[in-house]
Amino acid sequence: TVEPYDDEIAKFSSRGPTKIDNLTKPDILSSGVNITAPTAYGSELDTHPQIPHAGPDYITISGTSMATPIMAGIVADIVQARPDLTPAEVIQVFKETARKLPELDANQQGHGIVQPEDALEKALAIQK
C-alpha cells in the first residue's frame, strides 16, 4: 500500500524456518489479501455465494493464488525492461529494494514487502 502503517502479514502466509533444512522463508512478501480480479464466468468462484463480487466482472478474494500473478507481473515488467539480467540478479533486485515491516524477523517477512517501482529503477540502473 502507499502508506505502510497498516501493512501486516496475511495469516495464510508461510513462515520459516523450513523444517528440513532450516532455511529462512519467505524471500519477499507480495500483496495477496482482498485482491480484485476478473472473474471466470460460471466458475465455482464466480457462482459461490460467499465470494464477494465487485460488479458483474470481478471478484475479490485472498490467497497465495492472488499474490502469485501480482509478483509474476512485476517480474515480467523487470525482465522486459532488462532482458539481460540473470534470474539471480532479478532476485537480488527484489531483496535489495523490499521494504521491511518494523518489529518482524526474517522468518516472518523475508527481506520485506516488494516495492515494484524501486525494483524497476534498481534493475534499470544495473551496469553490465
Side-chain angles (χ1 to χ4, degrees):
T1 58
V2 174
E3 296 298 329
Y5 68 89
D6 64 346
D7 289 351
E8 58 184 50
I9 300 172
K11 291 179 174 81
F12 57 79
S13 183
S14 184
R15 290 159 174 82
T18 56
K19 292 182 182 185
I20 295 174
D21 45 15
N22 205 39
L23 296 174
T24 300
K25 72 182 259 188
D27 286 333
I28 197 164
L29 299 174
S30 177
S31 299
V33 176
N34 294 328
I35 305 298
T36 300
T39 190
Y41 294 110
S43 69
E44 187 171 336
L45 288 176
D46 184 46
T47 59
H48 196 286
Q50 293 180 341
I51 300 295
H53 280 69
D57 299 328
Y58 296 90
I59 58 173
T60 301
I61 58 176
S62 300
T64 56
S65 61
M66 299 308 287
T68 299
I70 290 172
M71 199 64 205
I74 298 166
V75 171
D77 285 344
I78 288 175
V79 170
Q80 182 177 18
R82 284 300 303 271
D84 59 319
L85 295 181
T86 67
E89 289 170 323
V90 173
I91 291 168
Q92 192 61 36
V93 162
F94 286 122
K95 289 179 178 180
E96 291 177 6
T97 58
R99 183 184 71 227
K100 292 238 183 228
L101 293 173
E103 301 181 22
L104 296 178
D105 68 25
N107 277 309
Q108 294 170 298
Q109 68 176 320
H111 290 271
I113 301 172
V114 66
Q115 300 299 300
E117 291 99 1
D118 295 345
L120 180 57
E121 185 177 313
K122 183 161 187 74
L124 290 171
I126 293 174
Q127 300 292 317
K128 284 199 154 204

